[in-house]
Amino acid sequence: MKQKRTEVAELGEFGLIERLTQDFPLQQPSTHCGVGDDAAVVAPTEGEVELVSTELFFEGVDFDLTYFPLKHLGYKVVTAAVSDLLAMNARPSQLLVSLGLSSKIPVEALDDLYEGIRFACKEQQVDLVGGDTRASMTGLVIGVTAIGHAPEERIVRRSGAQKHDLICLTSNLGAAYMGLQLLEREKRVLADVEHPEPQFKGYEYLLEKYLKPRPRTDIVDVLAEEGIVPTAMIDLTDGLSSDLMQLCKSSKCGARIYLERMPIARQTSQLAEEMHIDPVMAALNGGEDYELLFTVPLSMQEQVMRLGVVDVIGHITDEEAGCYLVTPDGQQMRLRAQGFPEK
Ligand code: ADP
Ligand code: MG
């Protein structure tokens, strides 16, 4: 059965915005005015500072609509925007979503996109407070801006890591990258097949990590509950190597991470082996994990381990010592901020 297809032009800009932004109840006391006026009005609570971060996604560059369900895409773009605030140790509270729409995209597809955004907003208790909607000649473009609030003394920058600090990581690595490789492989293999039936069995976790990554709001909450303020923090979007090097550059320090402590999920190493990809390279250079990497003083080792949600993968050194991965036989491999080729 063919799905109903409504052209954006049939609704017009105002009709479309009204349809997409309905059913977004405001949840945050700091939202004084949401969608519908010339600008949103947001008021941080006394003693808190405001944080703002924005992310931009282009069809064909950042996502491929042949296999990316729009509902998941809606969820993922919120994760991406929110993750930058979490990396500052702040919780998100408002969101703005801007769209560049090609004539290819029907209203029903945008309904799906906003269903994903709505789900994420509810889950994160974030209010959709505005955006912009324009025509695009280059496929779908999505811009997402997240606003958050936090007491100033809890804000964590990239620049605070000190020699001997422990390097902590919130989950396994490389799964999102391998999820992307799987989707790309099935797309290639099934390019000329009339009724494609992609083979994803056994790799559901990888697909979920790539298509629907959860923002680690839980980590920010746990750190707050336990009274831990990391010395430095960054979210993992470009790959561990690249992001750790960014943190070290800002903090003017070096790092040693240990291969045997590197968490890699079974599905990640299994698919990597199947596709002749080095799982360690996937873990070091694969992006879009949206996990958090943070440092704490050595004296907090026990406290951090007790959280049960992080792995300690190494420690901070002098800047002159550089950034290296240490193998079990004691060899040192220099980390490089190469990232993986996109596809
Ligand atoms: P303006 O002409 O002032 O830019 P618009 O007509 O573009 O106003 O938008 C009307 C309202 O809808 C504004 O509150 C705006 O922030 C919001 N809005 C516009 N596009 C989107 C979108 N894609 N998602 C969410 N809110 C949107
Ligand atoms: Mg506008």
Side-chain angles (χ1 to χ4, degrees):
M1 205 180 68
K2 211 156 182 276
Q3 249 201 332
K4 185 168 160 24
R5 181 187 164 101
T6 312
E7 301 298 329
V8 168
E10 284 177 53
L11 286 183
E13 188 188 326
F14 297 129
L16 177 70
I17 294 173
E18 205 173 302
R19 172 161 163 164
L20 296 179
T21 59
Q22 65 186 353
D23 199 18
F24 274 90
L26 299 179
Q27 311 160 81
Q28 292 285 345
S30 56
T31 308
H32 289 207
C33 172
V35 171
D37 217 313
D38 295 313
V41 182
V42 175
T45 323
E46 195 167 336
E48 296 197 323
V49 290
E50 191 155 86
L51 298 94
V52 188
S53 179
T54 199
E55 291 279 320
L56 192 55
F57 296 86
F58 282 85
E59 180 180 349
V61 179
D62 302 297
F63 57 89
D64 185 334
L65 287 183
T66 53
Y67 56 68
F68 214 125
L70 277 149
K71 212 157 72 174
H72 291 351
L73 184 61
Y75 186 87
K76 182 169 176 171
V77 296
V78 178
T79 292
V82 156
S83 182
D84 282 323
L85 301 183
L86 300 175
M88 302 292 289
N89 204 27
R91 249 181 163 285
S93 44
Q94 285 85 17
L95 197 75
L96 295 102
V97 177
S98 295
L99 300 176
L101 301 176
S102 73
S103 53
K104 254 186 10 211
I105 199 148
V107 173
E108 286 75 15
L110 297 174
D111 286 339
D112 287 347
L113 181 76
Y114 270 67
E115 200 179 321
I117 295 174
R118 188 178 294 111
F119 184 83
C121 281
K122 217 169 157 188
E123 189 184 72
Q124 301 294 313
Q125 290 162 296
V126 172
D127 293 344
L128 181 69
V129 297
D132 203 15
T133 308
R134 311 292 299 160
S136 157
M137 305 295 274
T138 54
L140 178 61
V141 182
I142 310 170
V144 187
T145 301
I147 300 174
H149 304 104
E152 190 155 24
E153 64 276 11
R154 291 203 61 83
I155 299 292
V156 177
R157 302 187 180 205
R158 294 179 179 181
S159 54
Q162 303 273 344
K163 190 178 175 182
H164 304 308
D165 280 0
L166 299 171
I167 302 172
C168 306
L169 177 65
T170 55
S171 182
N172 63 79
L173 294 170
Y177 175 75
M178 289 315 301
L180 172 61
Q181 298 315 305
L182 181 61
L183 288 161
E184 286 288 329
R185 180 182 77 178
E186 295 302 298
K187 183 187 167 183
R188 274 194 309 272
V189 171
L190 301 171
D192 302 319
V193 179
E194 201 173 332
H195 299 291
E197 283 183 34
Q199 295 300 313
F200 296 140
K201 209 171 167 348
Y203 294 128
E204 293 80 4
Y205 173 70
L206 304 182
L207 292 186
E208 182 160 343
K209 280 296 268 186
Y210 177 68
L211 295 172
K212 202 174 172 277
R214 291 176 73 99
R216 297 310 304 267
T217 316
D218 59 317
I219 299 293
V220 171
D221 290 345
V222 162
L223 291 174
E225 274 161 32
E226 296 296 318
I228 299 172
V229 180
T231 47
M233 184 147 62
I234 189 167
D235 64 328
L236 293 177
T237 52
D238 296 337
L240 175 66
S241 272
S242 174
D243 293 324
L244 176 60
M245 287 176 72
Q246 288 289 333
L247 186 147
C248 285
K249 192 173 166 208
S250 295
S251 293
K252 297 189 174 49
C253 63
R256 288 291 176 282
I257 53 173
Y258 295 87
L259 184 55
E260 74 266 29
R261 295 200 201 158
M262 195 86 79
I264 300 177
R266 196 181 46 80
Q267 288 189 11
T268 303
S269 40
Q270 202 171 322
L271 181 64
E273 194 180 317
E274 199 182 305
M275 293 186 72
H276 308 291
I277 294 171
D278 181 354
V280 177
M281 285 301 136
L284 286 177
N285 300 322
E288 298 194 272
D289 284 312
Y290 297 110
E291 296 295 336
L292 296 171
L293 183 80
F294 62 86
T295 55
V296 294
L298 181 58
S299 60
M300 295 183 93
Q301 180 158 21
E302 241 179 71
Q303 210 182 338
V304 165
M305 299 298 274
R306 258 207 320 270
L307 299 178
V309 286
V310 298
D311 284 302
V312 174
I313 60 164
H315 57 85
I316 296 293
T317 63
D318 282 330
E319 190 174 19
E320 299 72 49
C323 293
Y324 286 87
L325 174 75
V326 184
T327 65
D329 58 8
Q331 282 188 54
Q332 305 212 19
M333 283 166 51
R334 189 174 205 116
L335 294 182
R336 279 195 282 181
Q338 56 193 15
F340 244 103
E342 279 287 310
K343 274 165 194 165

